[in-house]
Amino acid sequence: EPEVPEKVIVIARVDGRAITRKALDRALGVLMHRDGGVNGDGPGEAAAEAPGDNNEFGPAETGELKKSILNELIEEELVIKEAEKEGIDVSAEELDEVISSMMEGMEREAFYRGVIPLYGSIENWTRETRRKLLVRKMIEKIKGSVKETTEAAASRYYIRNPNEYKVGEQVHASMILIATEIEAKKVKERL
């Protein structure tokens, strides 16, 4: 039976670049595996869980986590776009060096057995590792271009430019979202 290609669901676009649901789920799965207490086992010992199967998070926490990860993916795309504009790239040698250091002390097959459940394939993992390196290089470039300042110089600037720090009157609105009409009536009564 021929394999049906998986439908690509785009959840965000950053200057024409698509961020897919699959990329979000993969990032969530990696985060939950990393922070979910692997207990010192090799990568992949707890990786067989599907993204979102971690029992430590309820639906609300998982939803917030997904929003946070989506924001990180968007920021990453913006940084990568800027790196490309600046002509910053990751060479094959740099990538190989980082991959070798990550695999240090582990058998290649054991390492790959841990990577594949999280990333889907070695190619996905290598591509993700390259992206992280590109982001790191861009951030290092930005840090290198920022001039250090003293506290005294910062204080002088603040005193000489007070209008830049004035904040006008602000209003903060929030909504209370309730699952049922009965619960909404109870909340309204309490308010």
Side-chain angles (χ1 to χ4, degrees):
E1 188 173 311
E3 190 175 312
V4 178
E6 192 173 325
K7 184 177 178 186
V8 175
I9 300 170
V10 175
I11 54 174
R13 288 198 185 274
V14 181
D15 287 340
R17 299 167 186 241
I19 296 175
T20 64
R21 173 67 188 257
K22 191 172 185 175
L24 177 65
D25 287 345
R26 186 180 303 134
L28 178 64
V30 170
L31 179 70
M32 288 182 146
H33 171 68
R34 187 185 69 211
D35 294 343
V38 182
N39 299 325
D41 295 328
E45 295 297 323
E49 294 179 19
D53 284 350
N54 191 320
N55 292 329
E56 293 180 30
F57 296 102
E61 291 89 354
T62 302
E64 286 302 310
L65 192 55
K66 282 184 177 182
K67 282 183 203 171
S68 177
I69 291 170
L70 179 58
N71 285 334
E72 285 180 24
L73 291 173
I74 290 169
E75 288 172 9
E76 185 177 89
E77 280 299 333
L78 291 169
V79 171
I80 288 172
K81 184 174 187 263
E82 193 60 31
E84 289 170 355
K85 269 202 267 185
E86 296 279 329
I88 296 172
D89 199 7
V90 174
S91 70
E93 292 79 23
E94 289 172 304
L95 186 59
D96 286 344
E97 186 179 320
V98 168
I99 289 173
S100 294
S101 72
M102 292 171 89
M103 294 173 65
E104 197 171 299
M106 286 194 75
E107 290 181 20
R108 182 176 297 269
E109 289 304 314
F111 186 83
Y112 288 160
R113 276 196 310 272
V115 166
I116 290 172
L118 289 171
Y119 292 91
S121 70
I122 297 304
E123 292 76 21
N124 287 344
W125 174 74
T126 303
R127 188 172 30 257
E128 192 61 29
T129 302
R130 184 189 173 284
R131 287 172 58 85
K132 298 294 184 206
L133 277 172
L134 193 55
V135 167
R136 187 186 320 159
K137 284 178 85 169
M138 185 63 198
I139 289 171
E140 285 171 5
K141 180 177 189 226
I142 291 168
K143 279 183 179 177
S145 67
V146 174
K147 294 179 183 175
E148 296 250 353
T149 187
T150 64
E151 193 172 323
S155 294
R156 277 194 305 275
Y157 183 85
Y158 179 77
I159 291 166
R160 292 178 185 159
N161 300 284
N163 290 334
E164 289 185 36
Y165 302 97
K166 286 187 180 174
V167 178
E169 189 174 321
Q170 295 180 335
V171 175
H172 178 74
S174 60
M175 295 186 340
I176 300 172
L177 301 175
I178 305 299
T180 67
E181 188 176 345
I182 295 168
E183 289 179 53
K185 287 179 181 175
K186 286 180 185 177
V187 169
K188 186 177 180 182
E189 287 173 12
R190 287 181 58 205
L191 288 173

